[in-house]
Amino acid sequence: RLSLAFPWIETEYQGIVMENDNTVLLNPPLFALDKDAPLHYAGEICGFRVHNGPGGSGSAQFEAVVLDRSTGEGLVRSKEPLDCESQKEHSFTIQAYDCGEGPDGTNSKKSHKATVHVRVNDVNEFSPVFVERRYEASVPEGRLFDRIVRVEAVDADCSPQYSQICFYDIITPNVPFTIDNDGNIKNTEPLDSKRQRVHSFWVTAFDCGKNRAQADAQVIVTVKPSCKPGWIGWTKRTEYTPGSGSIPLFPNLHLEACEETVWNIQATVELQTGHIGKGCDRDSYSDRSVRRLCGAVRGEVDLLPPPSPATNWTTVLPTLPSSDSSLVFSFNGSTHVAVVPDSVASAVSGDHFTLQLWMRRGGASTQPLANQARGTRKEEETIICSTVKNDDSYSHYSLSVHGCRLSLFYWPDVSAARPVKFLWKLEQVCDSEWHHLSLSVQFPSVTLYVDGVTFDPALIHDNGAIPNPAPHQRLVIGACWEDLSNSSIITIVGYKGLLSGVTVRPGNVEPHSVVECLYACREGLDFGDLETLGSGMKVHVNPSQSVLVLEGDDIESFNRAVQQVTYRNSLRFATPGVRPLKLTTSLRCFSEESCLSLRQLEGYLVVLQPDAPQISLSGVGPHLARPAAEFEGPQGVPLFPELRIVCSLSHAVNTAAQGMEGGALMSDAVAHTLDGCEVQPLGEELNPEREELLIDMEALKERGLDIINTTAYIAITGAESISVYEDVLRSIRYRLAKGSARFERRFRLSCSEMNGRYTSNELTVEVNFLHSLDSLYHPSHLLASQQQFLHPSHHTGELSGHTLPNPHRNSVVPGAATVIIMVCVGFLVVMVILGVFRIRSIHRRGEGARGGSKEGSNQWDDSALTIIVNPMETYENRMGIATDMEGECDDEEEVVDSPDDTSDDQRIIIKKEGRDSAPRRY
């Protein structure tokens, strides 16, 4: 029978096969039906053919076999083991065919192709493996964290059941950490870096088939000390030794941002030096001396000099103490006004001049500007007001402050030209701090320097109704006058504040370098090395070097820059004291909400006491003995002909390194600049009619030194070298008028530097006047009852250097010689009287005993004495007097007055000789 029907199978099958099995379980089961059944052959299924599917798999990996030809049951199986990890699913087609018409399968029929989808089921053949063998993390102490670190393990199995990690476990016991099923590790208690800095433990992982990881992972947690955002390494106190140059202020300072991401950092370092002198540490010399040291052109006129009889216009102004020894005048805006005399004002006329001054608004006697009434602050305060005569015309100018504005009102010709007003808006004139102003007028050009910085004015032509100033010369400081020329009163508010060093110099303006030198602070903030400044860093320092600003975007570069901030002081003898320090920091973060806010740091810099210089005056003996005629000469006698001035520094040195015990002081000779010396007569002041001190005024003027010459002292002032002062002091001469020689005169010399801050020793010289024998006087004032007779030939040689003064010159013998002579003469008088009584006693005793008897052993031996009497008189009228001279001045003739005053020619000379010497008679 012919095969007429085709075999039939399902159109699609779903199959499952295990990795460790090759039999595919199909759903539905594989059955092929043939409608020719039960015909032999034609109704039987002889086989299945496998065709490749869309994925290319099929015939190569799977096969289908017939289990029962009659029922058409079949089986699909893999030819080799399948790997789920390589391919989870396979797709192919299958076709059934019958046995045809005979055993050889002739005319067999084929079914349609059915699609078979086979899914390979996974077997848990792999264990978890950690991604990292070691995990590290660092956390700050004292906090509980939700997650410190996350560990991760993977499984190579393909199925979710076996490829997923079901849980992790910490296998190290007794650690303050826990781990969740996702591998997140956190601490179970706050960590303490002091107790344990590093924690190390092991963890493992399990997949959902309960396979443990092949190798465990190590976790290391480092505990950091608590992170507090801010500056670390801040030192509140910093010491500076004068002469050290520049020192870093913050050598160990660095910023801790606690992992906060910042994009801009700005730090402001402020050094407060307003209480040191006039704003900072400067040369401790007078304003005039500083001008000389800075090379300023001479010819300035001091408008506020120290009060004196010659400069009495400043006596009405109250003065305040100053740490730099300068004179500070206070103005109250009303009664405190200085009217400069016309003789001084006429010296500063012209339209080319330089006005310089130190000013501080407010002052000690007035309220601070911030506390003043609003109306008071708006009134214009005049600092200086001047009308001067220029040839046939008058010019007028006034310098005023108005709030925070400084104005110069200038009228080149009050009778013709219109006034011009120059205006500057400055914070410096209203901050109640000391500031230096230098105003150079070279009309129509005006230049203003405030603290050494140039400021350009806004030029204003004042065309309002302004009364012309009175056509007479006047210069007022602290206010301006009332003008009554047009029957109108102009009320101008005076200046309220402090002024110092107000000078005007006519002529060409000062160079900028001189102005900078006059103001220059010798101390301030600085930056160490700009070449080491990192990229993106900026440094700005204000002119007075009291404020330094750092700006950058990288924390590491910023920390290196902060450590380069230095303090410098170029003065050898810096002003000791405390300088407050402030550090203000502002941060800008990418996240403005969580950006750090750092508090202001405050500290102070202590400038230690410098090693005091030792100014030594020497080379002049305590006595200066010269003949009186030399003092009476036209040039006098130099007081300090061999004066030597030496300045040295004594400082401690470390001798331990040299093998010596303890310390030592080493003195270094240094080149110094003195600023004053004073010569003062001790005792009575100089009498101008009888004596004077001479000095070369032209030499002083050439050296730029000033002198104050009074009867009480001579003061030479001005900053100059030691050699110049030596030459000047050696040239000082003491001269007497004819017939005014005295016994002695004492002078004291002392020098100083830095406005009297350091002084020398006091060198005292005693001037002795030597007189010739022609001027010897009758010394009846020494012994009223005695009279002395002396042959001039006997005393010319022996009294050389101790000549007696002329009584008509009202003089005394040098002090030491006078005392010796009086003591010796008194002693001789006593001995003469005792000798007279003894001789008379012996004479009477000899007459009472047997006349002509020999003298006993107790008789006085006068063989060593010689009595010389006047040969013109007899022995009966004069009796020789012998006396014992033990204890007297050896080998020196003594002169005593004779007991008898009847003859001026009679003199008794008592001379001590040896026992064996023969007596001399004249």
Side-chain angles (χ1 to χ4, degrees):
R1 186 179 178 180
L2 297 175
S3 177
L4 301 176
F6 291 92
W8 178 90
I9 59 177
E10 297 288 346
T11 58
E12 188 175 12
Y13 295 91
Q14 301 292 333
I16 298 176
V17 64
M18 301 298 293
E19 281 185 318
N20 57 358
D21 193 4
N22 61 352
T23 300
V24 179
L25 302 179
L26 297 179
N27 183 24
L30 180 61
F31 284 95
L33 301 178
D34 196 330
K35 292 183 179 181
D36 291 330
L39 296 178
H40 190 55
Y41 295 110
E44 295 178 351
I45 301 300
C46 284
F48 297 94
R49 288 188 178 92
V50 178
H51 303 279
N52 290 333
S57 60
S59 61
Q61 293 179 295
F62 293 93
E63 63 179 358
V65 297
V66 179
L67 298 179
D68 189 348
R69 298 176 66 177
S70 59
T71 60
E73 181 182 4
L75 175 66
V76 177
R77 61 188 179 188
S78 61
K79 296 179 181 181
E80 55 187 18
L82 300 177
D83 187 4
C84 175
E85 288 73 28
S86 299
Q87 187 173 352
K88 293 183 179 181
E89 294 183 353
H90 300 268
S91 296
F92 55 90
T93 60
I94 190 172
Q95 189 178 34
Y97 60 90
D98 58 15
C99 295
E101 298 177 355
D104 55 356
T106 305
N107 296 326
S108 62
K109 302 294 183 183
K110 298 179 182 179
S111 67
H112 62 275
K113 293 181 178 180
T115 302
V116 180
H117 299 282
V118 178
R119 185 179 74 248
V120 182
N121 277 0
D122 188 25
V123 176
N124 193 9
E125 55 183 329
F126 295 101
S127 297
V129 177
F130 281 98
V131 177
E132 302 285 346
R133 294 295 306 273
R134 180 173 178 172
Y135 295 87
E136 295 184 9
S138 58
V139 294
E141 63 180 352
R143 293 172 53 188
L144 290 175
F145 297 90
D146 294 335
R147 184 178 73 177
I148 295 177
V149 66
R150 182 179 182 269
V151 298
E152 183 181 5
V154 295
D155 197 307
D157 290 316
C158 65
S159 64
Q161 178 181 2
Y162 300 125
S163 63
Q164 290 184 356
I165 306 299
C166 281
F167 64 94
Y168 297 86
D169 190 21
I170 297 176
I171 60 178
T172 302
N174 302 324
V175 292
F177 299 95
T178 184
I179 188 170
D180 59 15
N181 293 338
D182 295 327
N184 296 316
I185 298 176
K186 62 181 181 180
N187 56 325
T188 58
E189 63 183 39
L191 303 178
D192 188 355
S193 62
K194 297 180 181 179
R195 185 172 60 185
Q196 187 172 351
R197 183 68 182 274
V198 179
H199 296 267
S200 178
F201 53 91
W202 296 84
V203 296
T204 189
F206 293 88
D207 61 16
C208 293
K210 296 187 179 181
N211 275 358
R212 182 175 170 173
Q214 292 181 357
D216 301 327
Q218 184 183 17
V219 179
I220 297 177
V221 178
T222 302
V223 183
K224 298 186 300 182
S226 298
C227 180
K228 297 180 180 179
W231 291 101
I232 298 177
W234 172 261
T235 302
K236 189 172 183 180
R237 174 189 172 98
T238 303
E239 292 186 354
Y240 177 82
T241 302
S244 302
S246 297
I247 63 168
L249 289 176
F250 321 113
N252 302 315
L253 190 65
H254 66 278
L255 179 62
E256 177 60 59
C258 294
E259 301 181 359
E260 185 70 34
T261 305
V262 297
W263 64 271
N264 182 266
I265 313 170
Q266 182 173 314
T268 302
V269 183
E270 182 181 357
L271 178 69
Q272 298 180 6
T273 58
H275 60 290
I276 305 295
K278 296 187 182 72
C280 62
D281 206 358
R282 294 183 174 87
D283 284 316
S284 299
Y285 295 106
S286 64
D287 291 336
R288 186 178 296 272
S289 297
V290 171
R291 290 184 59 82
R292 172 173 173 78
L293 293 175
C294 291
V297 181
R298 299 180 184 179
E300 73 278 359
V301 178
D302 193 355
L303 301 183
L304 289 180
S308 67
T311 58
N312 56 3
W313 68 88
T314 59
T315 56
V316 297
L317 301 177
T319 59
L320 299 177
S322 174
S323 58
D324 61 354
S325 302
S326 61
L327 200 59
V328 177
F329 295 93
S330 176
F331 294 83
N332 61 0
S334 56
T335 58
H336 298 163
V337 177
V339 180
V340 182
D342 293 343
S343 58
V344 178
S346 60
V348 293
S349 61
D351 56 359
H352 288 55
F353 61 89
T354 300
L355 173 65
Q356 293 188 350
L357 56 92
W358 287 93
M359 65 171 292
R360 191 180 82 176
R361 292 284 299 283
S365 60
T366 60
Q367 296 179 355
L369 295 181
N371 299 331
Q372 293 181 6
R374 180 175 301 179
T376 304
R377 287 203 310 263
K378 288 187 176 181
E379 294 178 345
E380 191 171 75
E381 303 175 12
T382 302
I383 300 176
I384 184 171
C385 185
S386 173
T387 298
V388 294
K389 185 177 181 180
N390 300 319
D391 297 331
D392 296 333
S393 63
Y394 287 87
S395 63
H396 174 83
Y397 73 87
S398 64
L399 183 67
S400 305
V401 287
H402 184 195
C404 290
R405 290 177 173 84
L406 179 74
S407 63
L408 174 67
F409 184 80
Y410 189 76
W411 208 326
D413 189 349
V414 297
S415 60
R418 298 297 300 167
V420 180
K421 192 171 188 179
F422 300 90
L423 186 66
W424 296 267
K425 185 176 182 181
L426 304 168
E427 293 294 333
Q428 289 88 336
V429 299
C430 59
D431 61 358
S432 298
E433 297 291 342
W434 278 107
H435 295 283
H436 180 265
L437 273 65
S438 178
L439 191 67
S440 297
V441 178
Q442 197 167 4
F443 193 77
S445 175
V446 176
T447 305
L448 174 67
Y449 298 95
V450 179
D451 298 340
V453 180
T454 308
F455 289 88
D456 297 326
L459 186 62
I460 298 178
H461 292 273
D462 199 340
N463 296 322
I466 302 176
N468 293 358
H472 57 266
Q473 188 163 272
R474 183 171 295 178
L475 177 58
V476 178
I477 300 176
C480 208
W481 57 89
E482 296 180 349
D483 193 350
L484 303 178
S485 60
N486 295 326
S487 300
S488 61
I489 300 177
I490 302 175
T491 303
I492 300 179
V493 178
Y495 173 71
K496 300 182 182 71
L498 303 179
L499 292 178
S500 178
V502 182
T503 62
V504 175
R505 187 184 62 81
N508 295 332
V509 299
E510 296 280 12
H512 187 194
S513 59
V514 173
V515 176
E516 286 183 339
C517 177
L518 291 173
Y519 170 72
C521 286
R522 302 301 185 225
E523 66 173 341
L525 300 173
D526 202 355
F527 192 81
D529 188 3
L530 291 175
E531 296 182 356
T532 62
L533 196 64
S535 60
M537 291 294 303
K538 299 178 182 178
V539 180
H540 173 72
V541 184
N542 68 335
S544 62
Q545 294 186 309
S546 61
V547 177
L548 184 144
V549 180
L550 286 174
E551 187 174 358
D553 53 10
D554 179 67
I555 293 182
E556 293 299 327
S557 299
F558 197 86
N559 287 337
R560 289 193 296 270
V562 167
Q563 296 174 2
Q564 292 288 326
V565 177
T566 61
Y567 168 80
R568 58 139 191 94
N569 195 318
S570 59
L571 290 179
R572 187 196 301 266
F573 307 108
T575 303
V578 176
R579 277 82 163 162
L581 270 173
K582 291 183 180 180
L583 177 60
T584 306
T585 312
S586 62
L587 303 177
R588 293 184 179 180
C589 309
F590 289 101
S591 176
E592 295 293 339
E593 297 180 355
S594 61
C595 197
L596 303 174
S597 177
L598 304 182
R599 66 181 181 87
Q600 184 184 67
L601 297 180
E602 296 184 357
Y604 54 93
L605 173 77
V606 180
V607 177
L608 302 179
Q609 186 75 30
D611 294 329
Q614 306 295 327
I615 307 174
S616 175
L617 307 180
S618 61
V620 178
H623 295 279
L624 178 64
R626 295 287 188 277
E630 294 186 15
F631 290 96
E632 297 172 353
Q635 299 297 327
V637 175
L639 282 180
F640 315 104
E642 299 177 358
L643 176 66
R644 185 168 182 264
I645 305 177
V646 177
C647 189
S648 61
L649 282 179
S650 297
H651 56 88
V653 294
N654 185 11
T655 56
Q658 305 174 5
M660 294 183 291
E661 297 182 358
L665 286 179
M666 178 175 291
S667 181
D668 295 335
V670 293
H672 271 257
T673 300
L674 300 180
D675 62 3
C677 288
E678 182 178 292
V679 179
Q680 178 184 4
L682 299 180
E684 298 179 355
E685 296 184 3
L686 296 176
N687 187 346
E689 298 179 355
R690 298 171 50 193
E691 54 187 343
E692 62 179 339
L693 290 176
L694 304 178
I695 191 168
D696 190 351
M697 302 300 295
E698 292 297 329
L700 287 179
K701 187 177 296 184
E702 290 178 1
R703 291 176 167 90
L705 299 177
D706 299 325
I707 184 172
I708 302 176
N709 194 349
T710 67
T711 59
Y713 64 93
I714 287 183
I716 303 171
T717 59
E720 258 299 349
S721 64
I722 287 180
S723 60
V724 171
Y725 268 94
E726 284 181 339
D727 294 341
V728 170
L729 294 175
R730 289 169 183 170
S731 66
I732 297 179
R733 296 172 173 269
Y734 179 56
R735 191 175 72 86
L736 294 174
K738 291 292 185 179
S740 300
R742 308 176 59 173
F743 286 145
E744 63 182 18
R745 192 49 144 143
R746 300 176 66 199
F747 294 91
R748 181 172 60 197
L749 171 64
S750 63
C751 295
S752 65
E753 67 173 316
M754 294 192 177
N755 259 358
R757 181 176 172 185
Y758 301 108
T759 58
S760 69
N761 61 309
E762 293 183 348
L763 183 64
T764 303
V765 176
E766 181 178 298
V767 179
N768 301 134
F769 309 101
L770 304 181
H771 300 268
S772 63
L773 289 176
D774 295 335
S775 61
L776 292 178
Y777 70 98
H778 188 279
S780 58
H781 64 285
L782 299 179
L783 292 175
S785 62
Q786 300 278 338
Q787 201 174 36
Q788 183 182 21
F789 301 92
L790 178 65
H791 294 287
S793 60
H794 293 277
H795 286 266
T796 301
E798 295 181 9
L799 294 180
S800 61
H802 300 279
T803 56
L804 298 179
N806 191 321
H808 302 291
R809 295 182 184 178
N810 192 22
S811 304
V812 293
V813 185
T818 302
V819 174
I820 294 175
I821 291 175
M822 294 186 65
V823 170
C824 292
V825 170
F827 180 78
L828 287 175
V829 170
V830 174
M831 296 303 296
V832 167
I833 295 173
L834 292 177
V836 170
F837 280 108
R838 186 167 184 181
I839 291 174
R840 290 180 178 178
S841 176
I842 294 174
H843 182 68
R844 292 173 182 173
R845 192 179 308 164
E847 290 179 352
R850 302 169 189 158
S853 64
K854 292 184 179 181
E855 298 177 354
S857 60
N858 57 347
Q859 187 175 356
W860 179 31
D861 184 9
D862 57 352
S863 61
L865 296 178
T866 302
I867 301 176
I868 303 173
V869 299
N870 191 342
M872 299 297 297
E873 295 185 3
T874 62
Y875 178 76
E876 289 79 12
N877 296 330
R878 291 292 178 182
M879 180 182 61
I881 303 175
T883 180
D884 191 355
M885 300 296 293
E886 293 181 3
E888 297 181 14
C889 302
D890 296 340
D891 300 331
E892 184 173 324
E893 292 184 355
E894 302 295 340
V895 181
V896 298
D897 290 347
S898 172
D900 192 353
D901 297 337
T902 58
S903 175
D904 292 338
D905 296 331
Q906 181 177 350
R907 296 191 175 104
I908 300 176
I909 300 178
I910 302 176
K911 183 174 181 181
K912 184 176 180 181
E913 300 176 343
R915 277 185 191 274
D916 300 332
S917 62
R920 296 184 189 176
R921 300 187 181 273
Y922 300 90

